[in-house]
Amino acid sequence: MPAALVPRLSDPSARHRVLTGLILLFLLLSAGCDRDRRSVSAKVDFNRDIRPILNQNCTSCHGGVKAAGGVSFVFREDALRKGESGRPTIVPHHPEQSELIARIVSTDPEFRMPHVDHGPPLAPEQIDKLRQWISEGAEWSEHWAFVAPKPQTPPSVADARWNRSPIDRFIRARLDQEKLSPSPAADKATLLRRVSFDLTGLPPTPAELAAYEADLAPDAYERQVDRLLASPRYGERWASLWLDLARYADTKGYEKDTERTAWTYRDWLVNALNRNQPYDAFLIDQLAGDLLPEATLEQRIATSFHRNTQTNDEGGTDDEEFRVAAVLDRVATTWSVVNGVTFSCVQCHSHPYDPIRHEEFYQFLAFFNTSQDADYVHEYPNLRVPDDPARYAEANALQQELERLQLAVLEPARRLVAETVWSGLPVSTVTATPAASFRLQDGEVQQTGTVSTKAVFDLTAEPPSAGTTLTALRFEVPPIDAEKARHSPEPGFIISQVEGWRIAPDGTETPLDFQRFVLDEARSPAAPYQKPVPPKVDPAKPAPAAEVKPAGPPPVPSTFSANPVLDRTRWMVGILRAPLALEPGTRLRLRLSHGRAIADRPAPAKRLRLQATGDPRWIDLGGDRRLADQRARSEAIILALADQPGTYLPVMAEQPAEERRETRLYVRGNWMDKGGPALEPGVPALFPALPEGAPRNRLTLARWFFANDQPLTARAAVNRYWEQLFGVGLVETLEDYGSVGEPPSHPELLDWLARHFQFDLAWTVKALLREIVTSETYRQSSRVDAARQERDPRNRLLARGPRTRLTAEMVRDQALFAAGLLSGKMAGPPVMPPQPAGVWQTVYNGRDWVPSPGEDRYRRALYTFWKRTSAYPSFLTFDASTRDVCTVRRMPTNTPLQALVLMNDPVYDEAARALLRQARAEAGPEAAPRDWITRAWLRVIGRSPAGPDLDALVRLYEDALRLPAPPETSAESAALGAVGAALLNLDAALTK
Amino acid sequence: MSRPSSEIPSSPWWTLVAVLPAVLLGALAAPWPWLPAALGRLHPVVLHFPIALVLVVALLETIAFVAPRHGPPRVRLLLFLAAAGAVTASACGYLLMRGDAVEGALADRHLRGGLAVSVLACLTLALRLSRDFAFRTGLRRAYRILLAATCAVLMFAAHDGASLTHGEDYLTEHLPWRQDQAKLPALAFPVQQPVGNWEMYTDVVAPILSQRCASCHSGRQAKGKLALDTWEALSRGGTTGPLFVAGRPDASLLVQRLELPLSHKERMPPKRKPQPAEGELALLRAWIKAGAPRTGTLATLGLDAALLRSAESLPRAFAAQESEPVEVDDTAWRQAVAARRQTFAPALASAQARWPGMIEFESRDSADVRVNASLLGPQFGDADLAALAPLREQITWLDLSGTAVTDQSARTLGSFKALRLLRLNETKITDDTVEALSGLVQLETLSLFRTPITDAAARTLASLPRIKTLSVAETPMTETTRRGLTRP
Amino acid sequence: MSSDPHALLRELERDRLTAVTRRHFLRDCATGLGALALGSLATPAFGARRLDFTRPPSSPLAALPPQFTGKAKRVIYLHMAGAPSQLELFDHKPDLKRLDGKDCPASFLEGKRFAFISGVPKMLGPQFPFHRAGKSGTWISDRLPELERHIDDLCLVKSMRTDQFNHAPAQLMVHTGSPRLGGGASLGSWVVYGLGTENQNLPGFIVLVSGGKTPDGGKSLWGSGFLPSVYQGVQCRAKGDPVLYLSNPEGVTRDLRRRVLDTLDEVNRRHHAEIGDPEILTRVSQYEMAFRMQMNASDAMDLSRESADTHARYGTQPGKESFANNCLLARRLAERGVRFIQLYDWGWDSHGVSKDTALNDGFAAKCLEIDRPIAALIDDLKARGLLDETLVIWGGEFGRTPMRENRAGVEMPFAGRDHHPGAFTVWMCGGGVRPGFSYGETDEVGFEIVKNPVELRDFHATVIHQLGFDHHKLSFPFQGLDQKMTGVKPTRVIDELIT
């Protein structure tokens, strides 16, 4: 400050005046400047101008993951709040009061944002944009993908041919705008090859091509499309895509990676696609088919979609940990598949850049957290699926009856337990063999220290009131911490046998005569519907004669367990055959035998309480004929189901209401550290609300995804089909439509297609595909000229037709198909075509790769056995997914290993030779090599060879004949193989 | 430990010493999580009492010891307050650490120090209060020793505390010898002389080194056994070898280290230390280029006008030099690398086109080039190596293992003076080639595995100044010679 | 003061900020939050300068220079699948011997999850004697006498820890940074993504498996996760084709293959002239590379070219699958510029359920199997002057408990230990790590780390640093984020381990 000012400023009023003056001056000047700026630039658009700046420079520190300094730019209300500095980050209309601006314009490296370690300062234009945006009120708008598509009118274009289909009108208008001309239509052969692969995954046969070329009607192409859409091959081709999304595999994953019979789901899929099930029903069945009223067996099979998660059978693993992992996977997969939103990052913190909060993840997780599966080795719950689809209805009816019966049998016991007056039966002594240590507290047994898996507990208890009668005994196993166990369960227990004795005052023991034991759970989660297997008797080993069999009849079966976890107090009631009078001084001795481990650890009951009653109704319940009939009927159904030839398919099933797990937020995504209150199922506020009054379950959720105002469901669907046909989606990042995903190349077209699919076509997939593949856009030639390559190297504007490499499945199917080897057999268990020895070497997994016999060697790729830890090697080389997790988009590569596979894999070598032999046989014995090589070419590439190309192959054949052949083959065979290999390896053969 | 007299436990004073910290630490168990942190903040308030009191007691006792005629001083209350204060301060300090999650070696040491002071002060107090104190010389002697120990530990603990709050060098910052270290001998530029008359070493090089390097590399503190404050030390170099190769700035360690990117581990001066300006670097380069002479003026050494201007601006630049670390971004470095890369871009491009995948820059931050001809095996021969000669200034890493190069390449190889690594495993080269390598002063790694070299090569090998790794396994060289060479 | 009102305004803003921030800074430091704040500032972020890893589409594996000059050019990673016991090899615990057979104190068991131990197990003393070795005086047991010759070159980390206690997830954690199948890209694929492959005729990331089994984590251990699949590891085999489909099918000579390739080349080029798609030329070059690879890979994998002396030193038998063979192969591949050579040796899961898994039986035999080959590998790398730039890593997926396993509540018939994620030992050698050095400490029984814990992500960051990258900068954009091997948790390069 100039010294001259000081004396004047010592006078308060003068100081005031000076300050006021200065402030006024600033305001004037800055207002003037602002006006200047506003006159040059139009109003700022948040999504276009501001969000990219924030996402690029700010949100990684000030976003959903960490809000450094208490500042976050994901939600507007957060951005308007005060940060730790004590000043608001953004003050709408007042850039000069906004901390954001102060920080980005600062020249001091310590204060400037982005911090000097994180990046260079913002460009002056960006700063101006932010300033202007705040001046204009700092309006926030939602990212395009989170706003429902708006109705779009296709623009009109001058070219009449391009003005027919709305798709073409959008594409052409953009091309005109960019001053690019479209390519001419592709020739018939190229087009037929393209559309055949796209719709059926196979090339056209020469006969099909000939028919099409001869067909000169104006709708010849459309009729080809209809033929292809009607082909059963259609379902097989599109199932491949869906199996990637569903992370379908024939094994369970993780260490042992043992087999899972899930192929009935795959067959359902092919079937559902072929019968053109609308997309909404298709997904609702898969997400919640089990909850549909009157669910059919097919609908229940569909739910196997979410049972394709991995199961960990490794010794010593915590089942709860991997149950949680599977549930998390279901959440992530649901969002990826239906909406293309990266949801899994919200598991640990709020979404880093999209407005989804941490708690919302767990509200959503609550929809999936109450399914019955729990990383069991036997994958309970399973559905019995008959091999013969004609018996589906019967099997479905039986299984539903069984469920009802099991509940019906349980219900009276549950009621009676509640009505009975129980008196406590305090345990007075407890011992174990082998020895273990216990604590007795208020008559309750608490086990401490080590216990062996095969431990036997012996308890004595004295009835408190003498001279009573006994009709039933209740065994209760409460969790150590009942409150916590509801959301973080404790290790379970398995008591495999309970026996009891009455000890008279004189010390004589008589066995308690139990007529039956009733449990609090309808089914114990063991592999159901399986015939009891008689114990294997090894003739070499003499039966253990030394075992002392107690006299009398064998004990009544009484397995009492909470497997794998204990999440609430469990009970079992033992009902005596007749009321038992207990004279004074009588004691009871009870023996609890354990025998099975859970996850390789002994599973004793940690706490145990006994209660007794003399209520005579128990005796009646035990002998109730109706219940006995129901039980007998259940047994009969189980046997009937087991007798039907069929497989067990893991499916989704909800826990009964009273058993449902609680869901709480996992602190920083750690499943062992839960916080906050119990959460009700819910959906992120960013999306439309759930319908009022509907039950909060998976079915409501599945239907919610197809609500009219959903922003992403239809967009994600049409974009996926677009990507399959054109190689690149309208939105390139299929896996992320969020604010850092790629913006759509044709936003209006995307919205139009989405609404068209959702409302006009009522989610009919074949209709959508038909519209796209009959568009002029799709039918263009894919020739790349230098100008187009320069202007649009990745063909995002579609000034030419698509040209993409075949998928792993198509590469194989084409080779076998062209060679006449491909089997047309559909459905059934997965097959094992030849693969090199020693590829499978999994630990603790006895399964071997045994090549399938007969035509199963030559089935379509889709039916190949898919082992997660060791997928079919040649598929992996062509970028197939391992199916560990949901794969939304395969990234095509071009590597030398692909060349090795196609040239050296015996499968392709065999196909190469067969191809030429077949062609030669067709051409007849007199035909010249030229003739049958032309035929072979036609079979693979789908058009006739050009002269020089044919010459080259004929030369190859002749040269190969002259080359010395190795001893194991003839020159002839080697030459045929060489020509076949050349054909199958041509770039034209590997692309569509 | 001496047995406290029986009346001590009943003393309310003593009880207070025990109860106070217990009450404070009890705050950790209190249901209010803010409480420990709030109490912890009392640490700075409390801690000064014990410091002052212990010192006062010590002072009084010293006076009494020196001048015993006044009788024993009345220090029991003071000592009690000191002990109670020390205990309270420790307790508060602990709470502070817990509440504010302070961690680190220094904090841990401070905590241990504080606890030690508390224990020592209490013991001292116990001795002083003991009933037999007046009658037993042993007790009194022990008391004095303990008191002295308390003072000593107190000093350390207090110093650590000060370092925690004010920074490590707070205490010593303004001490004259510390000042020296930071700003070594006052720089006296002969400003009245025309700049051409300045002595290159004394008036330009030495001040630059002194300003930029000597805070770590001087007679007082010679990191890496390197001192730069005297001519002798400078010419001796450090652990990594001599600092410069006269006439060849690029080959000189001094220049190399100064030109590494800031992010590099070996960059000198390290990141966050004051960095030399570009002109200073140019001056150092010019000096080495001129042969790194001890005497000679700027004019006689023929420095150009730009360099003279840089030299002239040194006094002003140094005067304005802040002691705070400066954030320098790597832009300048990147530009320099790009410029250097530009100088041989055509030669590199043609070599890369000839041998795709064989030639690559050492890193994205570097203009040094690596060549791995071993990938080509016997397809790479003498003629090919000769074709790489245009890049000899840039190639620092050359693997010729298994190639067909022979002694014919000896001279070519000898001209690759920038080489830091050379691998000739399983080639036909002989002692003749090894002899030709004697000029490769940069060479740090040399592999001659399975070559026909003999003991005759040993002399040359031993003379390579910077060699760190030498492989002569499976050669005709005798075991003894080999061992002599490879012994560190 | 400046007359420009904007500049003045900025200056006022700045002054205000300076004051506020200084105050904050001081307060933060005083409250101990300073370190935290600084930590978060040091994490480079989105807007920071990104390294460019794009390559011409025709050569996705083209070599790229590292970010800065790294000490290591390649990695040989020896993974002992099943997790070898640190307490029998490197982590010397005399106190554990004294506690042998005593009940495990309850405090050790509280809140811990074990794979098989239940209730209160007994402590199990070290099964083999330890001694100090080398100039560094590093403690080592008597099980690895050959490796001991190199003890002064090893850099031991005795304080590694993980959060997984089952094999498959823990191995995935070690190699991909995530415990889930398909969760992340493997270290080798990151390295090849960052640096490419030096030898274009061999895969850049090669995996060799011994012990009769693929490791528990399966092929995902060398998968590429979200990275393009070209970066995944290629498993090479001792039997059959060293690389799948490497050799020509029966009845196809190399001459004939050449002739086929010539035809392909001719027709494809004509096709390119007509269609113009540059991918066609890429395919042409990939076919040529495949042809060269057939030669080079076969040659690299052919152990019969080694001398009898070499076979004796390694204990190799050509044509058999063994760890020794794989060590020798690793050296051959390193010489040929392969960037990341990953060995897995299965059979280290010493639970004590059988003789094979007994510490004093099967485990000792495994030690014998690996001792000579590893020592010979280090010898060979040294002799060739390759050790300086080759980072050799040895370790398992977790450690083993100081308690004796009591699966199913009963003591195992043989001396065995359970899985233990809390502490394990890994060593590194060459590649610019500090030789003759031990880092980190466990408590007196080797159960918990008491000094310098090293998280797997720290370890990954350190390896990545040795190869010339800041682990924040070795990133790949996926799902809207810059994915990194080390994830988002605070991670540090362990400077103490490197020279």
Side-chain angles (χ1 to χ4, degrees), chain A residues 468-628:
Chain A
T468 52
T469 45
L470 182 68
T471 56
L473 269 175
R474 176 151 83 141
F475 301 80
E476 252 192 331
V477 176
I480 296 165
D481 181 343
E483 177 68 18
K484 192 176 165 205
R486 295 295 302 140
H487 55 81
S488 303
E490 296 168 8
F493 69 92
I494 303 178
I495 296 168
S496 38
Q497 186 66 55
V498 174
E499 294 159 275
W501 292 266
R502 178 181 59 159
I503 310 176
D506 62 1
T508 51
E509 291 194 6
T510 28
L512 291 178
D513 188 9
F514 289 110
Q515 57 166 316
R516 100 169 6 268
F517 289 86
V518 292
L519 292 164
D520 61 347
E521 221 172 45
R523 292 175 287 192
S524 73
Y529 322 145
Q530 226 140 10
K531 262 192 196 167
V533 185
K536 253 189 228 151
V537 183
D538 189 347
K541 246 195 217 163
E547 207 170 287
V548 185
K549 284 267 177 201
V556 182
S558 52
T559 299
F560 180 30
S561 70
N563 181 7
V565 292
L566 178 66
D567 56 359
R568 62 186 195 284
T569 301
R570 303 292 308 278
W571 56 257
M572 174 174 79
V573 175
I575 308 171
L576 292 180
R577 203 169 295 281
L580 183 67
L582 300 173
E583 56 203 86
T586 304
R587 285 173 302 147
L588 294 176
R589 183 159 76 82
L590 291 157
R591 165 168 289 182
L592 279 55
S593 310
H594 301 84
R596 277 178 51 210
I598 297 178
D600 298 291
R601 274 172 291 255
K606 285 274 177 192
R607 289 174 68 184
L608 183 80
R609 289 197 290 253
L610 297 177
Q611 282 159 325
T613 186
D615 194 326
R617 285 180 291 173
W618 280 102
I619 305 284
D620 302 341
L621 183 77
D624 190 324
R625 279 253 29 109
R626 213 163 47 95
L627 287 179

Side-chain angles (χ1 to χ4, degrees), chain C residues 342-375:
Chain C
Q342 175 75 56
L343 271 63
Y344 287 100
D345 185 46
W346 193 81
W348 289 88
D349 198 10
S350 312
H351 284 289
V353 287
S354 61
K355 255 172 116 64
D356 283 358
T357 61
L359 284 170
N360 38 21
D361 198 302
F363 174 81
K366 287 305 281 185
C367 291
L368 260 177
E369 266 176 45
I370 63 157
D371 186 33
R372 242 174 0 143
I374 297 180

Side-chain angles (χ1 to χ4, degrees), chain A residues 300-567:
Chain A
R300 280 144 61 94
I301 291 172
T303 66
S304 187
F305 171 74
H306 264 332
R307 290 302 308 280
N308 286 321
T309 48
Q310 298 169 52
T311 299
N312 196 345
D313 293 350
E314 182 178 346
T317 49
D318 184 337
D319 290 331
E320 175 68 3
E321 178 175 359
F322 293 94
R323 182 193 74 78
V324 168
V327 172
L328 293 171
D329 182 9
R330 283 169 200 152
V331 170
T333 300
T334 304
W335 281 98
S336 290
V337 169
V338 188
N339 266 357
V341 171
T342 57
F343 208 65
S344 47
C345 45
V346 201
Q347 182 190 336
C348 306
H349 39 67
S350 289
H351 201 285
Y353 43 82
D354 287 331
I356 304 172
R357 295 194 190 269
H358 194 196
E359 311 79 67
E360 292 178 328
F361 180 89
Y362 292 95
Q363 286 175 351
F364 192 84
L365 181 116
F367 283 115
F368 289 94
N369 200 24
T370 49
S371 63
Q372 291 190 18
D373 59 289
D375 200 51
Y376 297 110
V377 172
H378 47 65
E379 308 227 77
Y380 176 89
N382 289 293
L383 187 69
R384 182 70 174 171
V385 182
D387 289 344
D388 179 5
R391 301 186 71 175
Y392 274 16
E394 179 198 342
N396 196 37
L398 282 176
Q399 291 179 70
Q400 278 172 347
E401 186 188 349
L402 183 62
E403 270 168 45
R404 275 196 307 274
L405 281 172
Q406 282 173 332
L407 277 176
V409 170
L410 174 72
E411 209 31 57
R414 273 196 180 155
R415 236 185 358 251
L416 190 51
V417 159
E419 289 168 9
T420 304
V421 181
W422 296 97
S423 51
L425 191 60
V427 174
S428 51
T429 67
V430 53
T431 57
T433 345
S437 47
F438 296 93
R439 196 166 41 224
L440 285 175
Q441 196 166 14
D442 306 329
E444 178 186 299
V445 178
Q446 297 178 354
Q447 186 261 318
T448 58
T450 320
V451 67
S452 108
T453 304
K454 297 205 168 139
V456 175
F457 293 179
D458 278 294
L459 285 54
T460 52
E462 241 158 297
S465 44
T468 52
T469 45
L470 182 68
T471 56
L473 269 175
R474 176 151 83 141
F475 301 80
E476 252 192 331
V477 176
I480 296 165
D481 181 343
E483 177 68 18
K484 192 176 165 205
R486 295 295 302 140
H487 55 81
S488 303
E490 296 168 8
F493 69 92
I494 303 178
I495 296 168
S496 38
Q497 186 66 55
V498 174
E499 294 159 275
W501 292 266
R502 178 181 59 159
I503 310 176
D506 62 1
T508 51
E509 291 194 6
T510 28
L512 291 178
D513 188 9
F514 289 110
Q515 57 166 316
R516 100 169 6 268
F517 289 86
V518 292
L519 292 164
D520 61 347
E521 221 172 45
R523 292 175 287 192
S524 73
Y529 322 145
Q530 226 140 10
K531 262 192 196 167
V533 185
K536 253 189 228 151
V537 183
D538 189 347
K541 246 195 217 163
E547 207 170 287
V548 185
K549 284 267 177 201
V556 182
S558 52
T559 299
F560 180 30
S561 70
N563 181 7
V565 292
L566 178 66
D567 56 359

Side-chain angles (χ1 to χ4, degrees), chain A residues 821-966:
Chain A
L821 294 173
L822 189 72
S823 156
K825 192 169 143 191
M826 289 178 75
V831 295
M832 298 187 178
Q835 85 174 10
V839 170
W840 272 21
Q841 279 192 323
T842 316
V843 287
Y844 309 118
N845 179 339
R847 197 63 207 266
D848 282 326
W849 184 273
V850 183
S852 304
E855 71 171 319
D856 278 353
R857 262 171 89 100
Y858 307 111
R859 298 280 297 281
R860 282 193 80 169
L862 149 95
Y863 299 111
T864 304
F865 192 96
W866 210 288
K867 184 179 164 83
R868 282 201 159 99
T869 56
S870 188
Y872 193 60
S874 70
F875 291 170
L876 287 186
T877 308
F878 279 93
D879 314 311
S881 130
T882 57
R883 307 261 176 89
D884 292 330
V885 288
C886 164
T887 311
V888 178
R889 184 161 61 131
R890 289 187 189 174
M891 305 281 182
T893 61
N894 194 345
T895 72
L897 295 181
Q898 291 168 357
L900 291 179
V901 166
L902 278 183
M903 299 209 117
N904 300 339
D905 182 343
V907 170
Y908 292 99
D909 185 47
E910 184 185 353
R913 285 163 209 260
L915 167 67
L916 266 292
R917 286 217 181 83
Q918 177 96 5
R920 198 167 55 173
E922 277 176 14
E926 266 87 75
R930 232 186 147 66
D931 191 17
W932 41 263
I933 290 176
T934 306
R935 282 172 179 275
W937 179 291
L938 189 66
R939 291 177 77 97
V940 180
I941 316 234
R943 59 182 157 85
S944 304
D949 293 344
L950 183 60
D951 292 345
L953 284 171
V954 173
R955 270 201 317 277
L956 169 65
Y957 176 69
E958 287 160 356
D959 288 355
L961 277 180
R962 278 196 293 273
L963 280 173

Side-chain angles (χ1 to χ4, degrees), chain B residues 353-375:
Chain B
R354 179 163 170 190
W355 297 288
M358 189 183 92
I359 305 165
E360 202 37 86
F361 283 113
E362 211 170 75
S363 80
R364 294 169 189 241
D365 282 347
S366 160
D368 295 341
V369 172
R370 287 183 163 197
V371 176
N372 187 354
S374 76
L375 299 172

Side-chain angles (χ1 to χ4, degrees), chain A residues 118 255 314 601 985 987, chain C residues 41 114 120 167 216 283 287:
Chain A
H118 295 195
E255 184 204 49
E314 182 178 346
R601 274 172 291 255
N985 280 281
D987 182 79
Chain C
L41 290 179
F114 295 98
V120 182
H167 295 294
D216 314 63
R283 184 151 289 122
Y287 272 82

